[in-house]
Amino acid sequence: MIVVATADFEVYHGAVNELRDRGTEFTTIEPDEELPDRATVVVTGDDHADAFTGVTTIVADPDDPRRAVDQALAAVRGDGGRTIIGVDPGRRPGIAVLTGETVVAAFQVPLGDAVDVIQREAGDAPSPVVRIGDGSRLESAKLVNELDTVRVELVDETGTTPYLGTGSRGMGDVLAAVNIARLEGEVVDDREIEPTEGEIQVIKDRSRERSEHNRAIDEVLARRVAAGELTVDEALSEHRGAGSDSAPESTETDDSSDS
């Protein structure tokens, strides 16, 4: 059983609220009280980090009680506590955080925010690993290349997207991320991708959709977007700065031929 034993007001309320939200059995005591017989894990603050013997002690950060509760639950279940983060890449990647075999958090965020989320979740976890699906080549390459402080594995994501029944719309990417997290992949430090003509055209089309003047960026800028050097918005800004938006873009084609 988990015991919350702390005199720190913020740690107490943060941990208790997280445990209640999870529907977890726990109890609370004062730090100087005797532990219950069933106690196996204690969540406490810095002031009492060494006060408890014979049980696993988790020292909670008052600004991040969820991480302490994740660690406490992993200790109770005997999962080993390793943090594995699965990522289903795309323009809005699905991200699943597993501690042992338990899913403890899930996200779906814009691609530009994904690295920050992943790094935050890896945090101070012991030996974390990030497993990224090998689909959506450009987006997965961007993630692999920017995650340079954590072990990254590239996973064959074939078959990881589940069938979605009624009422489950929007869950596919996150569920795929869970499945990706449970598959071992190839350890990679970087991923170099030569974008296809089709991928370049998709980027141009996206830039046209976001442009105030219905103008697409040129191929040079599109390739920089594909390489992760620029976002579409940054490429549009450079495009405007070069004066491209001020001149009309020709959409005519010359169909004449010599006779």
Side-chain angles (χ1 to χ4, degrees), residues 45-234:
D46 281 330
D47 291 346
H48 297 89
D50 301 318
F52 307 97
T53 59
V55 294
T56 300
T57 300
I58 307 295
V59 178
D61 180 344
D63 295 325
D64 191 11
R66 181 173 68 81
R67 187 176 299 279
V69 170
D70 289 345
Q71 293 172 343
L73 291 172
V76 167
R77 297 183 182 115
D79 290 335
R82 187 181 193 188
T83 297
I84 301 176
I85 302 172
V87 184
D88 183 33
R91 291 171 63 180
R92 290 182 58 83
I95 301 171
V97 184
L98 279 66
T99 300
E101 290 298 316
T102 303
V103 179
V104 297
F107 309 88
Q108 187 163 22
V109 298
L111 180 62
D113 297 334
V115 169
D116 287 342
V117 171
I118 293 166
Q119 289 177 331
R120 184 188 70 222
E121 292 302 311
D124 298 324
S127 303
V129 59
V130 179
R131 291 174 175 163
I132 300 175
D134 61 358
S136 299
R137 302 184 325 141
L138 299 181
E139 290 84 354
S140 67
K142 175 179 173 64
L143 294 172
V144 169
N145 294 336
E146 292 186 9
L147 288 166
D148 54 4
T149 60
V150 66
R151 175 189 173 101
V152 176
E153 296 179 7
L154 196 63
V155 174
D156 179 357
E157 65 175 53
T158 304
T160 56
T161 300
Y163 168 76
L164 298 178
T166 303
S168 57
R169 181 179 179 182
M171 297 172 59
D173 294 334
V174 171
L175 292 175
V178 173
N179 290 332
I180 288 168
R182 289 176 168 153
L183 297 173
E184 292 188 7
E186 177 186 357
V187 177
V188 292
D189 295 321
D190 55 43
R191 189 181 193 195
E192 299 298 329
I193 294 293
E194 180 63 30
T196 65
E197 290 185 9
E199 289 168 333
I200 292 296
Q201 188 59 50
V202 167
I203 293 172
K204 289 182 177 181
D205 291 344
R206 283 168 52 197
S207 70
R208 185 185 298 278
E209 292 170 2
R210 298 179 71 90
S211 171
E212 295 178 0
H213 303 287
N214 195 33
R215 294 289 185 264
I217 59 176
D218 59 32
E219 182 167 339
V220 172
L221 287 171
R223 287 188 175 277
R224 292 181 65 190
V225 172
E229 297 175 14
L230 298 172
T231 65
V232 170
D233 288 338
E234 289 168 344

